[in-house]
Amino acid sequence: MPAALYALALGGFGIGLTEFVIMGLLPEVAADFGVTETVAGYLISGYALSVAVGGIALTAALSRVLRKRALMLLMVLFIAGNLLSAVAPTYGMTMVGRVVAALCHGAFFGIGAVVAADLVPANRRAAAISVMFAGLTIANVAGVPLGTFLGQAAGWRATFWAITVIGVIGLAGIAVLVPRTEHRSTGSVLSEFRIFRDRQVWLSMAVTVLGYGGMFGAFSYIAFTLTEVSGFSSAAVPWLLVVFGVGLFAGNVLGGRAADKNLVRALTVIISALAVVLVVFALTAQSKVATVVALLLMGGFGFATVPGLQARIMQYAEAAPTLGSGANIAAFNVGNAFGAWAAGLALAAGLGYTSPLWVGAAVTVVGLGVLLVAVRTRGGELARPRVAGSDAPREPAPAGV
């Protein structure tokens, strides 16, 4: 794989860290600001919604900027947001910092996914995208547990100082390793939005919202499930997040390979398996052994969807792949916000600390249904879609799709 992919993964590591580390620190943040668990959880959903906004708005705004320059500008925004979170004296200012950092997230992965796909042959695109997203999964395997340890030992603000430094390193990596390309949009920004005339683009984003949002909703309050239901101590949470992170990493790699072989089959099997894992987890959460296994599988099947979901929308958004990619990153985070919100409602209703798992399973099943509808309405995806707004004839799909 080209070295540029690993530079993108380095940037993804920093972004993944700031997205996920807050989950292991929610009890500390809630205690520091004197807010409830649900209110502290808004730092997750607020971040996710901001990613959704930035994923479309900033991607469109940067469509006429060289991609390398755009990626560097986005990393500067990321650094500024995390620095603000590190020094924020109030909950409100911390939320502002989260929002600022989140605005770069969707555009970074959206633009980065297109850069990654363009660096390799067409039959390796999902695998290339998975390499870029590997930075995010490695953040969960190593960064999030270490960040949680640091936050518990030195205060949660110390974790955000560390993320700020990592952001600076990520910016340097992109500046050095990502090649400068001349590609930029030649049409108007409004013309790129024609991709949203294609029903398959909307269905793809709906599958992303629900298929990934179910896992994220279940994971958003996982620290409380582990300590209040499974009986683990707070000190054990970082180690358990390592298990989850290992699952993310493995799922990302294997999911990318599976999607390159047969996109429809891969997504159908993976989303179905995720729903089953969440149900079994909810039923066996009182067992420590079962919980560890379920965490591994939840991470694995949850993130195995990502390369395929990203590849699917890029297939149907051929007229504006960068905007389509950014829009799907936005969809991931709408799913994150929706999942965290729904799980928070279940907790607030007094349904217990396994309720986020049940909510996640239900949302995932709905996502599977949308995928099946999308495949059926496209005739099994035996043909590539016609670009929205184009009269070009359809071409055969890549092998296995």
Side-chain angles (χ1 to χ4, degrees), residues 140-167:
N140 280 274
V141 175
V144 169
L146 291 175
T148 304
F149 275 127
L150 178 61
Q152 291 177 343
W156 63 269
R157 296 178 191 277
T159 300
F160 282 91
W161 277 110
I163 294 171
T164 301
V165 173
I166 292 171

Side-chain angles (χ1 to χ4, degrees), residues 23-41:
M23 297 174 189
L25 296 174
L26 278 185
E28 286 74 20
V29 173
D32 189 18
F33 289 123
V35 297
T36 65
E37 301 155 354
T38 301
V39 171

Side-chain angles (χ1 to χ4, degrees), residues 205-222:
M205 291 192 296
V207 176
T208 297
V209 168
L210 299 166
Y212 188 74
M215 184 278 287
F216 199 90
F219 183 62
S220 294
Y221 295 92
I222 198 66

Side-chain angles (χ1 to χ4, degrees), residues 3-13 71 108 112 115-116 119 132 174 178:
L5 290 177
Y6 300 102
L8 295 173
L10 182 61
F13 174 82
L71 291 171
F108 181 89
V115 171
L119 290 170
M132 183 193 68
I174 292 170
V178 174

Side-chain angles (χ1 to χ4, degrees), residues 70-356:
L71 291 171
M72 293 177 67
L73 290 172
L74 292 168
M75 286 304 297
V76 170
L77 189 64
F78 169 80
I79 293 166
N82 282 288
L83 180 60
L84 180 57
S85 292
V87 301
T90 65
Y91 173 85
M93 288 301 296
T94 302
M95 178 65 81
V96 172
R98 294 282 291 167
V99 168
V100 171
L103 287 174
C104 83
H105 182 132
F108 181 89
F109 281 112
I111 295 171
V114 176
V115 171
D118 285 347
L119 290 170
V120 298
N123 65 345
R124 301 191 68 192
R125 285 186 170 184
I129 292 170
S130 75
V131 171
M132 183 193 68
F133 278 101
L136 193 151
T137 61
I138 292 171
N140 280 274
V141 175
V144 169
L146 291 175
T148 304
F149 275 127
L150 178 61
Q152 291 177 343
W156 63 269
R157 296 178 191 277
T159 300
F160 282 91
W161 277 110
I163 294 171
T164 301
V165 173
I166 292 171
V168 173
I169 298 172
L171 174 61
I174 292 170
V176 172
L177 298 175
V178 174
R180 183 179 184 274
T181 63
E182 297 300 325
H183 180 87
R184 69 181 87 192
S185 174
T186 56
S188 69
V189 172
L190 290 178
S191 68
E192 295 201 351
F193 279 85
R194 292 175 183 170
I195 62 171
F196 295 112
R197 294 178 181 177
D198 191 331
R199 178 174 57 181
Q200 286 296 320
V201 170
W202 288 102
L203 288 172
S204 293
M205 291 192 296
V207 176
T208 297
V209 168
L210 299 166
Y212 188 74
M215 184 278 287
F216 199 90
F219 183 62
S220 294
Y221 295 92
I222 198 66
F224 299 109
T225 304
L226 295 175
T227 56
E228 301 298 327
V229 180
S230 302
F232 290 102
S233 66
S234 296
V237 170
W239 296 107
L240 293 167
L241 294 180
V242 171
V243 174
F244 180 79
V246 170
L248 292 183
F249 182 82
N252 179 57
V253 174
L254 297 176
R257 293 176 182 174
D260 277 331
K261 292 179 180 179
N262 189 309
L263 182 58
V264 174
R265 182 184 302 165
L267 287 175
T268 302
V269 171
I270 291 167
I271 295 175
S272 300
L274 175 61
V276 172
V277 167
L278 291 173
V279 169
V280 173
F281 192 178
L283 293 172
T284 61
Q286 293 182 340
S287 166
K288 290 184 177 180
V289 173
T291 293
V292 172
V293 175
L295 274 175
L296 179 68
L297 295 177
M298 184 172 79
F301 287 113
F303 214 85
T305 62
V306 174
L309 290 171
Q310 199 67 9
R312 187 179 200 275
I313 196 165
M314 289 170 64
Q315 174 184 333
Y316 288 102
E318 291 175 329
T322 302
L323 180 59
S325 179
N328 203 49
I329 297 296
F332 276 113
N333 287 275
V334 169
N336 293 352
F338 172 71
W341 171 76
L345 286 181
L347 285 176
L351 299 180
Y353 289 111
T354 60
S355 60

